[in-house]
Amino acid sequence: MGINNKLEIYMKIIQKRNKFFVLSAILMIVSFALISTWGLKLGMDFVGGTKLTLKYEEGVPTNDEISEQLKELELGSLTIQSSEENTVFVRFVTGENDEEVLNSVQEKLKGAREDLLVEEVSYISSTVSGELKSRALTAIIFAVVGIALYVAWAFRKVSHPVESWKYGIAAVVALAHDTLLTVGLFSVLGHFYGIEVNIPFVAALLTILGYSVNDTIVVFDRVRENLNKSGAKDDFEETVNTSINESLTRSINTSLTVVVVLTAIILFGGESIQSFSIALLVGIVLGTYSSIFIASALIVEIWKKRN
């Protein structure tokens, strides 16, 4: 009995759901305000630009050296990526007077290194960028709707005391929570540190959606099991709280292993995957939080309102 009381004091998560609701609401409002004020720093994938493939005969200069060579031109969204066989990829947003800017870039680079050969010049037009933005948004909406339908179908046999489709609604709200806070953080990172969002960022958001709903389904599935065991005779709030307790360790341990790996990638990986890794790290932490403190609590709140 003493052990049970200790667990109840330590694990009363659902009973304190209003505090988590308030915290999440504040964070979502702040994120929305930041996005509305600062927006996101869009990379070349979304605004168009130029990509140069450079080949050096005698060793590749560092990214900082190339950046210093082009500093006077004040190029937008400049990214530099070294590759094998003395190859370097330089990407930048040109805007107006594309040819003039491109010629200036090549003159600066060739003036610094005579052994430089420009192997390829490619462009991403604003039309293509607009299409990429449209497809990215469509992919996210399609994923969210698909997740909601899948959760409703997966819990179709759990109609008491909460209808199955409401589990899907709770999962989607949790996903919106995770996505909005992640985008809000990147609004801050873009404003103060110049971190851009490109197609890999969209891929990270879609991965976050999948991971978050997976964690949510684990908790919901435990709720379903406990409802079947008790024949829905127990108090629903206590059943959900017990289900969270039973899956809490598993959720946290799984997330921690992924967090450790992503932290290592951010610290020691290349710049090209930095935004992708940061988005995943933030999203996975938020997904673990929302599956425990938001999605499950929403189901209980729906049950309370219904009664």
Side-chain angles (χ1 to χ4, degrees):
M1 186 68 177
I3 294 177
N4 290 334
N5 287 337
K6 183 178 180 180
L7 285 175
E8 285 179 7
I9 294 172
Y10 181 67
M11 296 290 189
K12 281 192 173 180
I13 296 172
I14 291 298
Q15 289 79 358
K16 299 178 181 179
R17 62 186 178 278
N18 287 336
K19 295 180 180 178
F20 300 116
F21 284 158
V22 171
L23 172 63
S24 293
I26 292 173
L27 292 175
M28 291 176 73
I29 292 171
V30 171
S31 294
F32 184 79
L34 292 174
I35 296 168
S36 301
T37 304
W38 293 335
L40 293 170
K41 186 174 177 61
L42 300 178
M44 194 173 73
D45 289 344
F46 294 132
V47 296
T50 304
K51 174 185 174 182
L52 297 180
T53 302
L54 310 177
K55 181 80 171 183
Y56 290 87
E57 294 181 4
E58 301 177 1
V60 177
T62 65
N63 292 354
D64 290 337
E65 289 174 344
I66 296 176
S67 180
E68 186 65 28
Q69 294 167 14
L70 301 175
K71 185 177 180 180
E72 294 181 5
L73 300 179
E74 298 181 350
L75 300 172
S77 302
L78 175 64
T79 59
I80 303 166
Q81 181 181 359
S82 299
S83 183
E84 298 177 352
E85 300 179 355
N86 295 343
T87 302
V88 177
F89 301 104
V90 177
R91 300 176 177 85
F92 53 90
V93 175
T94 52
E96 298 179 359
N97 301 320
D98 291 357
E99 291 295 331
E100 182 179 336
V101 174
L102 178 60
N103 292 334
S104 299
V105 169
Q106 295 187 70
E107 288 176 6
K108 289 286 184 182
L109 293 172
K110 290 180 178 179
R113 289 284 296 269
E114 295 181 356
D115 62 331
L116 168 65
L117 173 65
V118 180
E119 287 194 330
E120 183 182 1
V121 179
S122 56
Y123 300 93
I124 296 179
S125 68
S126 57
T127 302
V128 173
S129 301
E131 185 178 347
L132 285 174
K133 283 190 284 188
S134 176
R135 288 187 176 185
L137 182 60
T138 302
I140 293 174
I141 294 174
F142 179 81
V144 170
V145 173
I147 286 170
L149 294 175
Y150 169 74
V151 173
W153 177 83
F155 292 88
R156 64 193 182 281
K157 295 182 179 180
V158 185
S159 58
H160 182 80
V162 177
E163 293 85 347
S164 61
W165 63 270
K166 293 181 180 178
Y167 285 86
I169 296 298
V172 168
V173 171
L175 294 178
H177 166 274
D178 301 340
T179 304
L180 181 60
L181 294 191
T182 302
V183 175
L185 175 63
F186 268 79
S187 178
V188 175
L189 294 176
H191 183 76
F192 290 105
Y193 301 102
I195 294 181
E196 301 174 349
V197 297
N198 285 300
I199 290 299
F201 176 76
V202 178
L205 288 182
L206 292 172
T207 306
I208 290 167
L209 295 179
Y211 184 93
S212 179
V213 78
N214 175 70
D215 220 19
T216 301
I217 286 177
V218 168
V219 179
F220 284 176
D221 200 49
R222 189 55 60 92
V223 172
R224 175 171 57 182
E225 291 176 2
N226 289 332
L227 285 173
N228 291 334
K229 288 177 184 178
S230 65
K233 294 178 182 178
D234 295 342
D235 181 73
F236 184 65
E237 183 174 317
E238 289 297 332
T239 299
V240 174
N241 197 65
T242 301
S243 302
I244 292 176
N245 291 338
E246 293 172 352
S247 57
L248 186 63
T249 303
R250 179 261 183 202
S251 296
I252 293 177
N253 287 343
T254 302
S255 298
L256 280 177
T257 56
V258 181
V259 165
V260 170
V261 173
L262 289 174
T263 302
I265 293 175
I266 292 171
L267 294 176
F268 306 108
E271 184 179 344
S272 59
I273 60 172
Q274 187 181 53
S275 62
F276 177 80
S277 303
I278 293 174
L280 275 185
L281 177 61
V282 173
I284 284 173
V285 172
L286 290 172
T288 304
Y289 165 81
S290 66
S291 64
I292 296 170
F293 300 104
I294 303 300
S296 304
L298 279 173
I299 289 295
V300 174
E301 198 64 29
I302 291 171
W303 171 73
K304 285 276 189 183
K305 296 295 184 183
R306 177 182 178 183
N307 291 338

